Amino acid sequence: MEHQYNGMKKMSEHNHSGMKNMGHEDHDHSAPVEDSEIRNWKKKLIGSWIFAIPVAVLMILMRFFGMELFNEQISITILLVLGFPVVFVFGFSTLKSGLRGLFTFYFNMDSLISLGTLIAYLTGILTFVMKINDYSGVAAMIMAIFVTGKYIEAKARGRATQEIKKLLELGAKNARVLRGKEEVEIPVSELKIGDIIIVKPGEKIPTDGVVVKGESAVDESMVTGESLPVDKTKDSNVIGATINQDGILYIKATKIGKDTFLSHIIELVEEAQGTKVPIQKLADKITSIFVPTILIVSVLTFLGWWYFNGELGRSLGVAISVLVIACPCALGLAVPIALTVGSGIGAKKGILIRKGEAIQTMKKVKIIVFDKTGTITKGKPEVRDVYSKVKENYLMEIAGSLEKLSEHPLSKAIVNKANLKKYKDVKGFKILRGRGVEGKIGKKIIVIGNSTLMNERKIKLNDLSEKIEEFENRGYTTVTVSENGKAIGIIGIADGVKEDSVKAISILNIQGYKTVMITGDNERTARTIAREVGIKEVIANVLPEDKAKKVEELQRFGMVAFVGDGINDAPALKQANVAIAMGTGTDIAIEAGDLVLARGSLMGVVAAISLSKATFSKIKQNLFWAFAYNVVAIPAAIAGILHPIIAEIAMAASSITVVMNANLLRKKRI
Amino acid sequence: MKKIKINIEGMDCASCATNVERSLKKVSGVKEVSVSLIGKKAFVEIDEKTDPEELKKAVARTGYKAISIE
């Protein structure tokens, strides 16, 4: 870690030398807190072992080989002198925090170690005035091992958070902006909204923006997990921290600082790590009363041993073992460390775990409901066919003029197809949610929409019904155009299925999930698309506001995960047991999802599910290990079968194991 | 009601995190607290009347230092 840090510093120094490396090698200059913590423990580790090794040698010679190098009193004096810096200098911060904990009743792990070492050290001093076993050497050993354990743990924890650290370092440092006619290089922090930024090939895009000039492909893999470069032309949105590939892009900054996509992701990941997984409730409860309980238990152990055994020194030794073997850390770390590694791995792949709870619930989910538009399909509907009883130009002219006034994706498809130079004047325009639009052009009443709307208005479809059926069988969403109560033509609109929707759904079907598609489309159109992607159950003709109700109905059969874009289906996402919100480019409805996918691919859902499961099983392993450790180790210490040094080694090992086991999650293919 | 983030220094064991959580919850106006031991941060939901200085003090009471509040 130390080495890595140095390497990083060198790189950023190198950066100052010129603009050549702008982009790729931009790094944050400030050393992360984590690294300074590791360095700190390392210093203490080296310092304490310089004194603890002679202590160990002396103890082995005296206790195991019975060698009497010096007389007893001199040996103990040497142990006390050598042990002093270990306990009181290198262990100072631990003692301080531990003792403060004892006095303020905010007990912590350090309280146990402090008491253990202080009592052990005290026995050495007491040997001068009374007959008692000497544990002064043990005091030094406990502290040295504790410090070592802390160092290893801090390093392993650093590894656990590496993905998040990488995210923090991802942003560019500098931006080249256009000021008047001149190109000026400024730090990213000085960017303003509206600045025109010039990004050359190979450089990092400094902030979120929209392309105003130029064409290029952009590698967005670092934020969305999308492995193929994405083409960008005028009006395309770009994400800060992604890398421009082969063309020059002129970008207008639209979001800066805390509002950027990258900042949101970082915030999300950080926040998620503080969320709780329900399974940890018991562990948390135990952790919070753990230290005081152990204090009481060790006092009782001491009294018990003294009463039955009568030997003061031996009784103290056993009590010390109890103090130092108890490890709330393994328990307290078990869940958050696994969640951290899991969410870090996810973040790298564009899967954001927002709530720890979701990964536990995910295990019980039986039904996965997909919203159709924008989730299974691309969300960019196009007009595929038009059937008109009047001149097609006329039909498209009135349809285009009305639909121009609506923001609905289907309306946009019609407007694009009509491609009008001049729109007709529309009076009394109204959007009929989930059904269509109406308005007046001149004296003619125009109603455009689905069959529900036509029925409502008693508009006869007559011979058009057959054509409508044909369109719907082809999977087109079919819109009828009527004039003065007479249907004059139909427009067939289709929204292409995303490339990997079929693959993703077939995997989920094989895994045994019941897949369901929900849509506002009519039954026939919906079925065609469902068949295309391999979904058997379809809930069609659902108004946006009724989606949540449908989810509720499905919940009678089992836990439901809902996959949607979070824009129209927020209530349904909320109703579901697990909400998976899908983003497309820069727009993610973050708030709507428990799991948020930065990329629009359904394969992300497959990955998110397998990541959730893998993380949750790690959590369970860790909890089991931490509980088992304490359940076995504490009684063993009370029984007096563990020497305090062995107890301390076991304690250090238990929390390190938990962290390392969590890191193993990385080995799993998601 | 708003959400704030407190960066905390020196918190490095599980019982430390529960202590900080317990202490922050006692500050008036604090609705929800979640402490991330690994991220060394506390996420606190507070109402308008809550004094950030009180939050810093609450962290200090447990023996750690609130470096910054965002």
Side-chain angles (χ1 to χ4, degrees):
Chain A
M1 196 48 71
E2 183 99 343
H3 176 77
Q4 221 174 9
Y5 168 72
N6 283 339
M8 229 162 75
K9 208 161 90 182
K10 245 177 247 150
M11 248 200 251
S12 29
E13 272 164 16
H14 183 64
N15 249 359
H16 289 296
S17 59
M19 295 261 301
K20 252 184 279 164
N21 290 313
M22 204 180 105
H24 281 244
E25 290 168 22
D26 282 341
H27 277 287
D28 205 314
H29 288 245
S30 60
V33 189
E34 211 92 20
D35 286 346
S36 75
E37 189 190 319
I38 293 168
R39 274 203 309 278
N40 229 329
W41 284 116
K42 195 179 183 180
K43 261 188 247 158
K44 290 182 193 165
L45 168 104
I46 294 167
S48 54
W49 282 107
I50 289 175
F51 297 95
I53 288 170
V55 168
V57 171
L58 200 59
M59 273 169 50
I60 290 167
L61 292 179
M62 279 164 60
R63 304 273 186 267
F64 289 130
F65 298 104
M67 281 162 79
E68 292 217 13
L69 301 172
F70 319 99
N71 84 29
E72 186 77 16
Q73 283 305 321
I74 293 179
S75 303
I76 293 174
T77 311
I78 294 174
L79 287 178
L80 282 172
V81 169
L82 284 171
F84 185 84
V86 183
V87 175
F88 295 98
V89 178
F90 300 110
F92 180 73
S93 59
T94 307
L95 289 186
K96 194 176 114 184
S97 134
L99 293 180
R100 185 214 282 265
L102 287 179
F103 289 117
T104 54
F105 287 96
Y106 282 107
F107 304 108
N108 56 29
M109 179 75 212
D110 294 341
S111 309
L112 297 176
I113 298 297
S114 305
L115 266 183
T117 47
L118 287 179
I119 294 169
Y121 195 84
L122 202 66
T123 58
I125 298 170
L126 286 177
T127 54
F128 293 97
V129 293
M130 61 192 279
K131 196 167 160 32
I132 190 170
N133 294 15
D134 161 48
Y135 286 104
S136 57
V138 170
M141 295 306 293
I142 291 175
M143 191 54 90
I145 294 165
F146 176 74
V147 167
T148 310
K150 276 290 180 186
Y151 167 71
I152 298 172
E153 193 193 309
K155 269 190 82 156
R157 270 208 310 226
R159 264 201 304 284
T161 53
Q162 68 187 23
E163 281 90 2
I164 291 137
K165 266 184 276 174
K166 270 186 207 144
L167 272 181
L168 287 169
E169 289 160 11
L170 206 58
K173 291 221 72 70
N174 296 314
R176 200 184 288 107
V177 295
L178 214 52
R179 288 281 147 87
K181 283 221 164 119
E182 241 175 292
E183 289 181 18
V184 205
E185 200 193 333
I186 59 166
V188 166
S189 56
E190 287 171 21
L191 272 175
K192 282 188 223 59
I193 287 175
D195 274 344
I196 303 294
I197 307 164
I198 303 151
V199 186
K200 295 193 173 153
E203 285 180 358
K204 215 174 249 185
I205 294 171
T207 196
D208 294 358
V210 57
V211 176
V212 287
K213 201 170 99 185
E215 268 178 32
S216 185
V218 172
D219 176 5
E220 296 186 340
S221 60
M222 60 295 289
V223 282
T224 65
E226 169 69 62
S227 53
L228 293 172
V230 184
D231 287 328
K232 302 287 177 185
T233 53
K234 191 171 181 299
D235 294 333
S236 302
N237 288 317
V238 291
I239 309 169
T242 57
I243 294 168
N244 182 18
Q245 303 275 299
D246 46 15
I248 295 185
L249 289 175
Y250 287 72
I251 292 159
K252 189 163 91 183
T254 52
K255 276 173 193 156
I256 51 168
K258 280 200 164 312
D259 300 324
T260 62
F261 187 69
L262 182 65
S263 301
H264 278 307
I265 289 184
I266 292 169
E267 200 170 316
L268 208 76
V269 173
E270 281 185 337
E271 232 173 286
Q273 287 171 355
T275 65
K276 300 260 189 276
V277 184
I279 198 175
Q280 87 188 92
K281 241 185 211 146
L282 180 64
D284 275 354
K285 221 176 243 164
I286 295 176
T287 313
S288 66
I289 57 158
F290 194 88
V291 180
T293 309
I294 291 300
L295 288 174
I296 294 166
V297 169
S298 64
V299 169
L300 292 178
T301 305
F302 168 71
L303 292 176
W305 270 83
W306 201 17
Y307 183 76
F308 291 110
N309 173 284
E311 222 184 298
L312 178 65
R314 172 81 172 121
S315 311
L316 276 175
V318 175
I320 293 168
S321 286
V322 175
L323 282 175
V324 300
I325 203 162
C327 186
C329 273
L331 266 181
L333 270 175
V335 177
I337 197 77
L339 187 58
T340 300
V341 176
S343 62
I345 295 170
K348 211 166 78 179
K349 294 177 189 291
I351 304 163
L352 309 171
I353 300 174
R354 263 195 77 225
K355 290 194 186 121
E357 198 179 337
I359 62 168
Q360 180 166 355
T361 318
M362 199 63 232
K363 239 187 104 69
K364 291 188 221 138
V365 165
K366 294 270 179 297
I367 304 162
I368 305 177
V369 182
F370 296 89
D371 184 39
K372 193 205 84 180
T373 308
T375 305
I376 291 173
T377 62
K378 288 179 184 148
K380 286 195 189 99
E382 288 165 2
V383 173
R384 292 283 168 85
D385 205 348
V386 178
Y387 179 79
S388 182
K389 295 210 292 194
V390 293
K391 264 198 187 144
E392 195 176 313
N393 280 352
Y394 176 72
L395 183 84
M396 290 316 287
E397 194 179 9
I398 56 170
S401 298
L402 252 82
E403 299 289 2
K404 176 76 184 153
L405 303 169
S406 161
E407 284 291 309
H408 196 280
L410 292 179
S411 309
K412 281 189 185 152
I414 294 172
V415 173
N416 285 343
K417 174 74 179 179
N419 197 16
L420 301 176
K421 292 207 175 63
K422 230 179 125 230
Y423 294 94
K424 296 224 169 192
D425 204 18
V426 179
K427 294 239 167 61
F429 177 77
K430 236 197 264 163
I431 292 176
L432 309 158
R433 212 166 134 74
R435 287 166 298 164
V437 294
E438 67 176 342
K440 273 171 100 177
I441 294 179
K443 285 206 173 121
K444 288 171 179 157
I445 299 165
I446 314 289
V447 178
I448 306 175
N450 58 16
S451 313
T452 319
L453 182 63
M454 296 304 136
N455 282 339
E456 254 177 51
R457 297 295 156 95
K458 306 220 161 42
I459 292 162
K460 290 243 160 53
L461 299 170
N462 299 330
D463 49 333
L464 275 176
S465 347
E466 235 170 79
K467 205 72 193 165
I468 290 174
E469 201 177 314
E470 186 200 316
F471 272 26
E472 286 175 350
N473 280 333
R474 280 192 255 162
Y476 298 165
T477 304
T478 309
V479 172
T480 308
V481 183
S482 76
E483 189 182 66
N484 287 338
K486 239 182 83 195
I488 55 168
I490 56 171
I491 302 170
I493 301 167
D495 182 7
V497 168
K498 285 181 194 165
E499 281 86 16
D500 40 17
S501 290
V502 178
K503 189 178 162 201
I505 285 164
S506 84
I507 293 173
L508 294 174
N509 283 337
I510 290 166
Q511 287 175 351
Y513 289 105
K514 180 174 172 181
T515 50
V516 179
M517 185 177 93
I518 196 163
T519 173
D521 274 349
N522 69 70
E523 190 86 23
R524 212 171 305 139
T525 312
R527 288 225 171 265
T528 309
I529 288 168
R531 211 170 316 133
E532 194 182 327
V533 293
I535 290 181
K536 288 190 191 72
E537 193 164 332
V538 174
I539 306 175
N541 285 319
V542 183
L543 291 172
E545 54 267 36
D546 290 340
K547 282 182 187 169
K549 221 184 294 164
K550 295 288 172 194
V551 169
E552 202 182 337
E553 283 166 24
L554 282 171
Q555 279 169 329
R556 269 181 300 193
F557 305 101
M559 293 260 196
V560 173
F562 190 94
V563 188
D565 60 11
I567 295 160
N568 298 315
D569 39 28
L573 282 167
K574 208 165 175 189
Q575 173 66 37
N577 302 91
V578 176
I580 304 177
M582 284 194 130
T584 40
T586 47
D587 300 315
I588 315 187
I590 285 173
E591 286 300 317
D594 302 321
L595 297 169
V596 178
L597 306 177
R599 188 161 44 120
S601 159
L602 276 194
M603 284 308 286
V605 177
V606 176
I609 290 173
S610 80
L611 176 69
S612 298
K613 282 187 171 169
T615 309
F616 189 63
S617 78
K618 259 300 158 226
I619 285 175
K620 280 208 300 201
Q621 269 173 29
N622 267 354
L623 277 177
F624 173 78
W625 164 251
F627 272 113
Y629 165 80
N630 281 299
V631 166
V632 174
I634 296 172
I638 295 172
I641 54 175
L642 291 174
H643 187 271
I645 294 180
I646 305 293
E648 177 58 32
I649 292 173
M651 194 288 284
S654 78
S655 50
I656 293 167
T657 315
V658 163
V659 180
M660 288 191 168
N661 185 39
N663 275 327
L664 282 182
L665 193 53
R666 232 172 248 117
K667 291 261 184 321
K668 187 144 173 93
R669 284 185 63 88
I670 304 293
Chain B
M1 206 167 69
K2 60 178 181 173
K3 237 182 174 168
I4 58 157
K5 184 165 92 182
I6 309 173
N7 291 303
I8 300 169
E9 199 179 71
M11 182 174 65
D12 63 357
C13 70
S15 37
C16 312
T18 40
N19 281 343
V20 172
E21 201 168 307
R22 190 152 60 98
S23 181
L24 281 171
K25 271 191 183 141
K26 287 183 190 156
V27 178
S28 86
V30 170
K31 294 261 152 37
E32 264 205 46
V33 183
S34 83
V35 177
S36 160
L37 165 66
I38 293 138
K40 304 209 188 302
K41 284 178 188 75
F43 297 91
V44 190
E45 259 183 45
I46 54 172
D47 59 26
E48 278 68 34
K49 283 169 284 182
T50 311
D51 180 8
E53 281 309 308
E54 284 299 314
L55 296 174
K56 278 191 179 177
K57 274 187 211 154
V59 174
R61 262 201 297 280
T62 58
Y64 314 104
K65 204 176 145 200
I67 331 175
S68 62
I69 294 186
E70 289 167 36

